[in-house]
Amino acid sequence: MSDVLNYNPDCLFCKIIKGDIPSNKVYEDDLCYAFYDIDPQAPTHFLVIPKAHIQSCGAVTAEDAALVGHMFQVIAQVTKELGVTDFRVVSNCGAQAGQTVPHLHFHVLAGRDMTWPPG
Ligand code: 5GP
Ligand code: ZN
């Protein structure tokens, strides 16, 4: 179980970080948590989330800059560990963009050809 900064009792991902909802962990440190998506959209599909409850990319502040940079460093490290060289990082911000869980997360997708532009 981990502590969540600004824990939001209504937030699915806060509950996952706390361990109240089980998840398939890929990586964890003091600042962030990574786990496989329950509904994978590619052969490899995991999510990287901050342990602090931040609503979305649109809520990131200057104070979060180091945290967000760290999350990208984690993405680089974990993909290397998984032997993944080609991948896509996606963050949906807001319902129209497809965000369904209002806790900042980066999707990391790999293992198939990706189309552009995304749908
Ligand atoms: P969004 O739609 O907000 O961009 O991404 C949310 C993601 O969380 C979706 O890809 C969805 O499959 C995933 N997700 C939703 N509930 C759970 C869950 O309980 N466990 C896991 N591992 N992933 C989840
Ligand atoms: Zn949350």
Side-chain angles (χ1 to χ4, degrees):
M1 180 194 282
S2 300
D3 289 333
V4 187
L5 204 62
N6 303 328
Y7 177 72
N8 179 336
D10 299 322
C11 174
L12 178 70
F13 287 174
C14 282
K15 290 179 190 162
I16 283 180
I17 293 164
K18 254 188 114 188
D20 290 348
I21 292 176
S23 61
N24 192 357
K25 176 165 89 171
V26 186
Y27 174 89
E28 180 174 18
D29 63 27
D30 288 347
L31 296 174
C32 66
Y33 184 73
F35 58 105
Y36 286 105
D37 198 292
I38 203 168
D39 182 21
Q41 301 302 312
T44 298
H45 183 180
F46 63 89
L47 305 171
V48 182
I49 66 178
K51 285 192 171 174
H53 179 84
I54 298 168
Q55 179 135 337
S56 70
C57 277
V60 169
T61 66
E63 285 177 7
D64 304 320
L67 168 64
V68 173
H70 175 70
M71 291 169 71
F72 274 89
Q73 186 234 310
V74 166
I75 289 169
Q77 180 185 322
V78 172
T79 49
K80 271 192 194 74
E81 285 170 4
L82 295 176
V84 167
T85 54
D86 295 17
F87 57 92
R88 180 170 287 177
V89 179
V90 174
S91 192
N92 300 320
C93 178
Q96 189 178 30
Q99 185 175 14
T100 58
V101 180
H103 181 127
L104 174 64
H105 49 283
F106 296 117
H107 296 260
V108 181
L109 302 125
R112 65 166 170 82
D113 293 341
M114 304 282 166
T115 59
W116 192 264

